[in-house]
Amino acid sequence: MLHLRLITPSEKTDDVIRLIEKTVGTTHLVVLPGTARNPVGDVVLCDVAREAGDELLTGLQELGLDRTGSIAVENIDLSLSRRADKAEAEAPGEGADAVLWEHLTDATHEESTLSVTYLMFITLATMIAACGVVLDNAVLIVGAMAVGPEFGPLAGICTAIVQRAPRLAVRSLIALLVGFAVAMAVTAGFSLFMDAVGLFTKEQLEADRPNTGFIYAPDWFSFVVAVLAGAAGTLSLTSAKSGALVGVAISVTTVPAAANAAVALSYGDMKQTWGSTEQLLLNLLGIVLAGTLTLLTQKWLWAKQRGRVSAG
C-alpha cells in the first residue's frame, strides 16, 4: 500500500476527492479543510494499492495538483485494516508488478546526478578495484563492484529512453562519462604513486592472473551477464527490492574494467588498456539495452492489464 498526502487548493478539492473515490484500490480517505498554510488549501489523505498508484498519480497531475498544491507519496510497511486488504484485492494486477513511473523518474534523477559524493564513491570503488587487479584478489574486486554507484546513471538512461525525458538522459550520460573519466584519471595517478612506493609493479599486472584476468578479456559471456544483470537491476528498482540491486552491482565488470584500464595505461600496457575498455563498454551497452527492454516490457504488460480491466 501507498499513503498519499495531498495539499489541494479549495476550489479543486472536490475534483480530487471524486478522482480518489472512483479509483479502484483506494481507501482511508481523510479530508482536512483549510488546514494547509504553505500553500494555502485543504489537506487530503488516502491510502492506495500500489498497483493503482500510477493511475491515481497521473490523474492528480492532470488536475494540476503538482503545480498548484503538493503530492507526497510514502510506502506503508504495515497496514492492519480489512478495508486496505479489500482495496488491494480489488485493484487490478499485483503490487509487485506495478511500476510507479513518477517515483522511478524521481529516483533515477537523484541517483544520476553528478555530485561530489557520486564522484567520491566511483573513484574510491575504482581505486579499490585497482588494488584487486594488481593483487589478483577477487574479494577486492567484489567489494569494488558493491561500492560503485554507476548503476544509477545507467538506470537513468533507460528510464529517460522509455519516458522520453531528454534532460534525464543528458544528466545521466554526463554523470556516467564524467564519473568514469575522473575515476580512471585519479586511479592512474594512484597507480603511479603505488608503483613509486613499491606496492604496485608492472610484473604483477602482467603476470598470470587466474582470478581477475577475465577483466581485460571480454567475450560473449560478459555481454550475456551484463544483459541479465541489467534486467535484474531494473526489476529491483521498479519493485523496490534493494537486496537484489546489491546482487546486480557485484555481477557486472564495469568498475573493475575501468580500474584495470587505468592501471594498464599508467604502465603503458595498451593491450590490457584496450581489452579492459572494450569490457567496460560491452557491459554498459548490455545493461542499458536490457534495462530499456525491461521497462518497455513492463509498460506494455501493465497497459495490457489495464485494458483488460477496463474492458471487463
Side-chain angles (χ1 to χ4, degrees):
M1 294 290 289
L2 302 172
H3 177 68
L4 271 64
R5 186 188 73 245
L6 313 173
I7 297 179
T8 171
S10 299
E11 64 273 15
K12 289 190 177 183
T13 300
D14 289 340
D15 293 332
V16 169
I17 293 173
R18 277 193 294 269
L19 174 64
I20 293 173
E21 290 178 334
K22 77 174 185 178
T23 301
V24 178
T26 59
T27 187
H28 302 152
L29 176 60
V30 177
V31 181
L32 304 173
T35 54
R37 292 293 179 266
N38 184 20
V40 174
D42 305 328
V43 174
V44 179
L45 310 173
C46 73
D47 295 341
V48 59
R50 181 180 174 86
E51 51 269 43
D54 189 63
E55 178 185 356
L56 180 56
L57 289 174
T58 300
L60 292 171
Q61 288 178 298
E62 290 174 352
L63 290 175
L65 205 59
D66 54 328
R67 299 185 298 275
T68 60
S70 169
I71 304 173
V73 183
E74 298 175 316
N75 280 306
I76 299 177
D77 295 326
L78 176 64
S79 179
L80 303 177
S81 166
R82 289 186 178 180
R83 288 182 178 273
D85 294 340
K86 185 174 182 291
E88 287 189 315
E90 292 175 345
E94 295 294 332
D97 297 332
V99 179
L100 297 176
W101 292 102
E102 286 301 323
H103 177 268
L104 180 62
T105 301
D106 184 68
T108 51
H109 181 280
E110 181 179 348
E111 293 295 325
S112 61
T113 300
L114 184 63
S115 62
V116 174
T117 300
Y118 172 82
L119 286 175
M120 289 180 67
F121 267 118
I122 196 168
T123 300
L124 290 170
T126 307
M127 293 166 70
I128 292 171
C131 296
V133 298
V134 172
L135 298 175
D136 193 35
N137 189 314
V139 175
L140 291 176
I141 294 298
V142 171
M145 289 175 171
V147 173
E150 75 281 3
F151 193 82
L154 291 171
I157 292 173
C158 299
T159 304
I161 293 173
V162 174
Q163 292 293 87
R164 299 179 182 178
R167 289 186 179 180
L168 178 59
V170 171
R171 177 187 295 269
S172 301
L173 195 59
I174 290 174
L176 195 67
L177 296 178
V178 174
F180 271 116
V182 170
M184 292 173 72
V186 173
T187 301
F190 172 70
S191 177
L192 293 174
F193 169 77
M194 294 293 278
D195 179 79
V197 297
L199 296 177
F200 281 9
T201 65
K202 188 175 183 179
E203 289 72 22
Q204 286 176 298
L205 179 71
E206 296 181 344
D208 184 33
R209 287 157 46 195
N211 293 321
T212 59
F214 69 93
I215 292 173
Y216 59 88
D219 54 24
W220 277 108
F221 278 106
S222 301
F223 184 73
V224 170
V225 171
V227 168
L228 295 175
T234 303
L235 286 173
S236 72
L237 283 178
T238 57
S239 61
K241 301 291 185 183
S242 58
L245 191 57
V246 174
V248 169
I250 61 177
S251 63
V252 288
T253 318
T254 48
V255 165
N260 201 95
V263 176
L265 183 63
S266 71
Y267 282 119
D269 187 336
M270 299 311 297
K271 181 180 178 181
Q272 286 201 37
T273 299
W274 288 117
S276 301
T277 302
E278 185 180 350
Q279 176 79 274
L280 173 61
L281 295 176
L282 199 62
N283 276 268
L284 295 178
L285 175 63
I287 292 172
V288 170
L289 178 63
T292 303
L293 291 177
T294 299
L295 288 177
L296 286 172
T297 301
Q298 288 181 289
K299 196 169 188 176
W300 177 76
L301 289 173
W302 198 250
K304 193 174 181 180
Q305 173 72 28
R306 281 185 177 177
R308 282 201 299 264
V309 173
S310 299

mmCIF file of all heavy atoms in Angstrom, residues 213-227 253 275-276 278-283 286:
data_model
loop_
_atom_site.group_PDB
_atom_site.id
_atom_site.type_symbol
_atom_site.label_atom_id
_atom_site.label_comp_id
_atom_site.label_asym_id
_atom_site.label_seq_id
_atom_site.Cartn_x
_atom_site.Cartn_y
_atom_site.Cartn_z
ATOM 1 N N GLY A 213 41.929 -12.132 -14.536
ATOM 2 C CA GLY A 213 42.332 -11.996 -15.942
ATOM 3 C C GLY A 213 41.165 -11.759 -16.879
ATOM 4 O O GLY A 213 41.315 -11.162 -17.949
ATOM 5 N N PHE A 214 39.960 -12.193 -16.482
ATOM 6 C CA PHE A 214 38.777 -12.020 -17.332
ATOM 7 C C PHE A 214 38.428 -10.551 -17.543
ATOM 8 O O PHE A 214 37.717 -10.201 -18.497
ATOM 9 C CB PHE A 214 37.577 -12.730 -16.699
ATOM 10 C CG PHE A 214 37.084 -12.087 -15.429
ATOM 11 C CD1 PHE A 214 36.073 -11.147 -15.453
ATOM 12 C CD2 PHE A 214 37.658 -12.408 -14.195
ATOM 13 C CE1 PHE A 214 35.615 -10.547 -14.286
ATOM 14 C CE2 PHE A 214 37.209 -11.815 -13.029
ATOM 15 C CZ PHE A 214 36.189 -10.878 -13.064
ATOM 16 N N ILE A 215 38.918 -9.680 -16.673
ATOM 17 C CA ILE A 215 38.532 -8.269 -16.726
ATOM 18 C C ILE A 215 38.991 -7.608 -18.018
ATOM 19 O O ILE A 215 38.305 -6.727 -18.550
ATOM 20 C CB ILE A 215 39.105 -7.520 -15.493
ATOM 21 C CG1 ILE A 215 38.406 -8.009 -14.221
ATOM 22 C CG2 ILE A 215 38.941 -6.016 -15.636
ATOM 23 C CD1 ILE A 215 39.006 -7.470 -12.952
ATOM 24 N N TYR A 216 40.132 -8.029 -18.556
ATOM 25 C CA TYR A 216 40.608 -7.413 -19.801
ATOM 26 C C TYR A 216 40.491 -8.372 -20.986
ATOM 27 O O TYR A 216 41.103 -8.156 -22.033
ATOM 28 C CB TYR A 216 42.059 -6.922 -19.648
ATOM 29 C CG TYR A 216 43.057 -7.987 -19.281
ATOM 30 C CD1 TYR A 216 43.705 -8.733 -20.261
ATOM 31 C CD2 TYR A 216 43.377 -8.234 -17.949
ATOM 32 C CE1 TYR A 216 44.635 -9.708 -19.917
ATOM 33 C CE2 TYR A 216 44.303 -9.197 -17.594
ATOM 34 C CZ TYR A 216 44.922 -9.933 -18.583
ATOM 35 O OH TYR A 216 45.847 -10.899 -18.248
ATOM 36 N N ALA A 217 39.684 -9.412 -20.830
ATOM 37 C CA ALA A 217 39.471 -10.376 -21.912
ATOM 38 C C ALA A 217 37.978 -10.577 -22.126
ATOM 39 O O ALA A 217 37.414 -11.616 -21.765
ATOM 40 C CB ALA A 217 40.158 -11.702 -21.594
ATOM 41 N N PRO A 218 37.282 -9.591 -22.698
ATOM 42 C CA PRO A 218 35.824 -9.689 -22.858
ATOM 43 C C PRO A 218 35.434 -10.773 -23.858
ATOM 44 O O PRO A 218 36.158 -11.056 -24.810
ATOM 45 C CB PRO A 218 35.438 -8.299 -23.380
ATOM 46 C CG PRO A 218 36.678 -7.791 -24.050
ATOM 47 C CD PRO A 218 37.817 -8.336 -23.253
ATOM 48 N N ASP A 219 34.287 -11.389 -23.621
ATOM 49 C CA ASP A 219 33.743 -12.373 -24.548
ATOM 50 C C ASP A 219 32.223 -12.275 -24.503
ATOM 51 O O ASP A 219 31.660 -11.385 -23.861
ATOM 52 C CB ASP A 219 34.225 -13.785 -24.195
ATOM 53 C CG ASP A 219 33.940 -14.165 -22.738
ATOM 54 O OD1 ASP A 219 32.997 -13.578 -22.148
ATOM 55 O OD2 ASP A 219 34.645 -15.019 -22.192
ATOM 56 N N TRP A 220 31.558 -13.197 -25.184
ATOM 57 C CA TRP A 220 30.105 -13.140 -25.237
ATOM 58 C C TRP A 220 29.470 -13.352 -23.870
ATOM 59 O O TRP A 220 28.382 -12.852 -23.591
ATOM 60 C CB TRP A 220 29.575 -14.168 -26.235
ATOM 61 C CG TRP A 220 29.618 -13.656 -27.645
ATOM 62 C CD1 TRP A 220 30.462 -14.042 -28.640
ATOM 63 C CD2 TRP A 220 28.778 -12.635 -28.205
ATOM 64 N NE1 TRP A 220 30.211 -13.327 -29.784
ATOM 65 C CE2 TRP A 220 29.179 -12.459 -29.553
ATOM 66 C CE3 TRP A 220 27.734 -11.857 -27.709
ATOM 67 C CZ2 TRP A 220 28.566 -11.539 -30.394
ATOM 68 C CZ3 TRP A 220 27.128 -10.935 -28.554
ATOM 69 C CH2 TRP A 220 27.535 -10.784 -29.874
ATOM 70 N N PHE A 221 30.135 -14.112 -23.000
ATOM 71 C CA PHE A 221 29.599 -14.318 -21.660
ATOM 72 C C PHE A 221 29.530 -13.001 -20.893
ATOM 73 O O PHE A 221 28.616 -12.783 -20.092
ATOM 74 C CB PHE A 221 30.440 -15.337 -20.889
ATOM 75 C CG PHE A 221 30.096 -16.763 -21.211
ATOM 76 C CD1 PHE A 221 30.947 -17.530 -21.986
ATOM 77 C CD2 PHE A 221 28.917 -17.328 -20.764
ATOM 78 C CE1 PHE A 221 30.627 -18.834 -22.303
ATOM 79 C CE2 PHE A 221 28.586 -18.637 -21.066
ATOM 80 C CZ PHE A 221 29.442 -19.393 -21.845
ATOM 81 N N SER A 222 30.482 -12.112 -21.132
ATOM 82 C CA SER A 222 30.462 -10.802 -20.483
ATOM 83 C C SER A 222 29.202 -10.042 -20.857
ATOM 84 O O SER A 222 28.537 -9.427 -20.012
ATOM 85 C CB SER A 222 31.693 -9.990 -20.900
ATOM 86 O OG SER A 222 32.884 -10.650 -20.557
ATOM 87 N N PHE A 223 28.860 -10.087 -22.147
ATOM 88 C CA PHE A 223 27.676 -9.378 -22.617
ATOM 89 C C PHE A 223 26.402 -10.021 -22.083
ATOM 90 O O PHE A 223 25.471 -9.327 -21.665
ATOM 91 C CB PHE A 223 27.659 -9.365 -24.151
ATOM 92 C CG PHE A 223 26.523 -8.563 -24.728
ATOM 93 C CD1 PHE A 223 26.533 -7.183 -24.687
ATOM 94 C CD2 PHE A 223 25.445 -9.208 -25.317
ATOM 95 C CE1 PHE A 223 25.490 -6.440 -25.210
ATOM 96 C CE2 PHE A 223 24.393 -8.473 -25.848
ATOM 97 C CZ PHE A 223 24.421 -7.091 -25.801
ATOM 98 N N VAL A 224 26.367 -11.358 -22.075
ATOM 99 C CA VAL A 224 25.188 -12.073 -21.571
ATOM 100 C C VAL A 224 24.935 -11.745 -20.102
ATOM 101 O O VAL A 224 23.806 -11.462 -19.694
ATOM 102 C CB VAL A 224 25.355 -13.597 -21.764
ATOM 103 C CG1 VAL A 224 24.258 -14.358 -21.016
ATOM 104 C CG2 VAL A 224 25.320 -13.953 -23.238
ATOM 105 N N VAL A 225 26.011 -11.763 -19.297
ATOM 106 C CA VAL A 225 25.866 -11.449 -17.868
ATOM 107 C C VAL A 225 25.405 -10.004 -17.683
ATOM 108 O O VAL A 225 24.560 -9.712 -16.820
ATOM 109 C CB VAL A 225 27.199 -11.693 -17.121
ATOM 110 C CG1 VAL A 225 27.120 -11.152 -15.699
ATOM 111 C CG2 VAL A 225 27.528 -13.172 -17.108
ATOM 112 N N ALA A 226 25.938 -9.093 -18.504
ATOM 113 C CA ALA A 226 25.528 -7.687 -18.401
ATOM 114 C C ALA A 226 24.046 -7.526 -18.728
ATOM 115 O O ALA A 226 23.335 -6.757 -18.072
ATOM 116 C CB ALA A 226 26.377 -6.833 -19.339
ATOM 117 N N VAL A 227 23.575 -8.243 -19.738
ATOM 118 C CA VAL A 227 22.155 -8.179 -20.111
ATOM 119 C C VAL A 227 21.281 -8.711 -18.975
ATOM 120 O O VAL A 227 20.279 -8.087 -18.592
ATOM 121 C CB VAL A 227 21.902 -8.977 -21.403
ATOM 122 C CG1 VAL A 227 20.403 -9.165 -21.639
ATOM 123 C CG2 VAL A 227 22.532 -8.257 -22.595
ATOM 124 N N THR A 253 31.126 -6.325 -14.684
ATOM 125 C CA THR A 253 32.520 -5.860 -14.637
ATOM 126 C C THR A 253 32.629 -4.472 -15.242
ATOM 127 O O THR A 253 33.168 -4.294 -16.338
ATOM 128 C CB THR A 253 33.426 -6.841 -15.400
ATOM 129 O OG1 THR A 253 33.039 -8.168 -15.101
ATOM 130 C CG2 THR A 253 34.879 -6.636 -15.021
ATOM 131 N N GLY A 275 41.637 -3.885 -24.001
ATOM 132 C CA GLY A 275 40.786 -5.006 -23.620
ATOM 133 C C GLY A 275 39.843 -4.644 -22.483
ATOM 134 O O GLY A 275 38.650 -4.986 -22.513
ATOM 135 N N SER A 276 40.353 -3.922 -21.493
ATOM 136 C CA SER A 276 39.516 -3.505 -20.355
ATOM 137 C C SER A 276 38.472 -2.485 -20.791
ATOM 138 O O SER A 276 37.322 -2.523 -20.331
ATOM 139 C CB SER A 276 40.392 -2.904 -19.256
ATOM 140 O OG SER A 276 41.354 -3.825 -18.812
ATOM 141 N N GLU A 278 37.156 -2.238 -23.764
ATOM 142 C CA GLU A 278 36.140 -2.983 -24.504
ATOM 143 C C GLU A 278 35.198 -3.702 -23.541
ATOM 144 O O GLU A 278 33.978 -3.729 -23.750
ATOM 145 C CB GLU A 278 36.814 -3.991 -25.430
ATOM 146 C CG GLU A 278 35.841 -4.740 -26.329
ATOM 147 C CD GLU A 278 36.540 -5.737 -27.236
ATOM 148 O OE1 GLU A 278 37.794 -5.709 -27.311
ATOM 149 O OE2 GLU A 278 35.830 -6.550 -27.868
ATOM 150 N N GLN A 279 35.752 -4.271 -22.475
ATOM 151 C CA GLN A 279 34.931 -4.939 -21.464
ATOM 152 C C GLN A 279 33.967 -3.941 -20.822
ATOM 153 O O GLN A 279 32.775 -4.238 -20.620
ATOM 154 C CB GLN A 279 35.832 -5.552 -20.390
ATOM 155 C CG GLN A 279 35.129 -6.209 -19.225
ATOM 156 C CD GLN A 279 34.626 -7.592 -19.548
ATOM 157 O OE1 GLN A 279 33.523 -7.723 -20.067
ATOM 158 N NE2 GLN A 279 35.430 -8.608 -19.256
ATOM 159 N N LEU A 280 34.469 -2.758 -20.491
ATOM 160 C CA LEU A 280 33.649 -1.722 -19.866
ATOM 161 C C LEU A 280 32.494 -1.316 -20.780
ATOM 162 O O LEU A 280 31.332 -1.282 -20.359
ATOM 163 C CB LEU A 280 34.513 -0.504 -19.532
ATOM 164 C CG LEU A 280 33.790 0.743 -19.012
ATOM 165 C CD1 LEU A 280 33.071 0.442 -17.710
ATOM 166 C CD2 LEU A 280 34.776 1.896 -18.832
ATOM 167 N N LEU A 281 32.808 -1.017 -22.041
ATOM 168 C CA LEU A 281 31.777 -0.574 -22.975
ATOM 169 C C LEU A 281 30.753 -1.668 -23.246
ATOM 170 O O LEU A 281 29.549 -1.401 -23.364
ATOM 171 C CB LEU A 281 32.425 -0.122 -24.286
ATOM 172 C CG LEU A 281 33.325 1.118 -24.194
ATOM 173 C CD1 LEU A 281 33.984 1.403 -25.539
ATOM 174 C CD2 LEU A 281 32.523 2.330 -23.726
ATOM 175 N N LEU A 282 31.211 -2.906 -23.323
ATOM 176 C CA LEU A 282 30.316 -4.040 -23.571
ATOM 177 C C LEU A 282 29.322 -4.200 -22.426
ATOM 178 O O LEU A 282 28.121 -4.437 -22.647
ATOM 179 C CB LEU A 282 31.142 -5.314 -23.738
ATOM 180 C CG LEU A 282 30.483 -6.514 -24.419
ATOM 181 C CD1 LEU A 282 30.101 -6.171 -25.855
ATOM 182 C CD2 LEU A 282 31.431 -7.707 -24.408
ATOM 183 N N ASN A 283 29.803 -4.057 -21.204
ATOM 184 C CA ASN A 283 28.927 -4.171 -20.038
ATOM 185 C C ASN A 283 27.938 -3.018 -19.966
ATOM 186 O O ASN A 283 26.756 -3.226 -19.670
ATOM 187 C CB ASN A 283 29.764 -4.231 -18.763
ATOM 188 C CG ASN A 283 30.266 -5.622 -18.453
ATOM 189 O OD1 ASN A 283 29.637 -6.384 -17.736
ATOM 190 N ND2 ASN A 283 31.406 -5.985 -19.025
ATOM 191 N N GLY A 286 25.255 -3.616 -22.605
ATOM 192 C CA GLY A 286 24.347 -4.694 -22.225
ATOM 193 C C GLY A 286 23.353 -4.274 -21.163
ATOM 194 O O GLY A 286 22.159 -4.606 -21.233
#
